[in-house]
Amino acid sequence: MRNINTEFTEIHRVHRNRKFSVFSVILCVFCVEMASAAEILSVAPDCEADGSASFEVCARDSDAAAAIRIRLWEAQGVKVLDKTLEADFRLDPADFSRKKTVIDTSLAKARIWSLASPNLYLAEIALLDAKNEVLAARRLPVAFRTVEIRREDG
């Protein structure tokens, strides 16, 4: 099997040296098509002080994704959540080139983030295929906290 990265490197070298032809442009487009795969574009976390968490995941080429896995680690590296759910992506009405889904979960004893104790977690969202192999993954820091503005508080 040929290495797609080597082919991209060669195509870019040819383009930089301005020694390209119509064939190399066609090859470049062909390689991009071959290399296209599922990709997580963005993750928007919403983690509340009660331990509930919601992650909005936007992805491209998510048709191959059969499941979504979410994992949470504490700052010390202790895994506190490992959950796999069926992938249920829907077209994003704002951009038809991507799809969205929302993952809802909860953490029983979430450590709350505050200035005095800035408890952060590391979240990993992964798209899995039918064989539970990772197609794409993204990691991001998250914190559990609720901010409320009440009329009586001014």
Side-chain angles (χ1 to χ4, degrees):
M1 178 176 237
R2 295 179 352 213
N3 185 345
I4 196 77
N5 290 332
T6 305
E7 292 180 22
F8 276 128
T9 303
E10 178 62 20
I11 289 167
H12 289 294
R13 184 189 64 74
V14 170
H15 283 278
R16 274 197 314 271
N17 295 336
R18 307 225 191 279
K19 298 176 185 171
F20 62 91
S21 64
V22 174
F23 175 73
S24 67
V25 173
I26 291 170
L27 180 62
C28 184
V29 171
F30 175 71
C31 288
V32 170
E33 285 297 316
M34 282 179 49
S36 68
E39 175 186 10
I40 297 176
L41 300 173
S42 65
V43 178
D46 181 15
C47 303
E48 301 290 333
D50 64 0
S52 63
S54 179
F55 296 86
E56 181 183 84
V57 180
C58 290
R60 182 178 307 134
D61 295 331
S62 58
D63 294 336
I68 298 178
R69 181 181 65 210
I70 178 167
R71 291 178 174 171
L72 280 178
W73 289 273
E74 290 180 340
Q76 300 81 11
V78 178
K79 190 187 306 181
V80 293
L81 181 69
D82 191 345
K83 187 175 186 179
T84 303
L85 304 166
E86 183 179 334
D88 185 24
F89 282 95
R90 312 231 182 233
L91 278 176
D92 182 356
D95 183 356
F96 290 131
S97 68
R98 63 185 189 177
K99 294 182 180 180
K100 279 186 183 180
T101 192
V102 176
I103 303 167
D104 292 317
T105 188
S106 63
L107 192 58
K109 295 181 181 178
R111 294 183 179 183
I112 309 306
W113 185 93
S114 70
L115 289 175
S117 58
N119 294 305
L120 284 176
Y121 292 85
L122 178 65
E124 179 189 71
I125 309 295
L127 300 180
L128 306 175
D129 66 8
K131 297 177 185 175
N132 280 339
E133 293 181 11
V134 176
L135 298 171
R138 182 171 274 193
R139 288 184 172 190
L140 65 149
V142 295
F144 287 84
R145 181 178 183 179
T146 300
V147 177
E148 296 177 319
I149 299 173
R150 291 181 252 171
R151 182 178 292 232
E152 61 270 10
D153 292 340

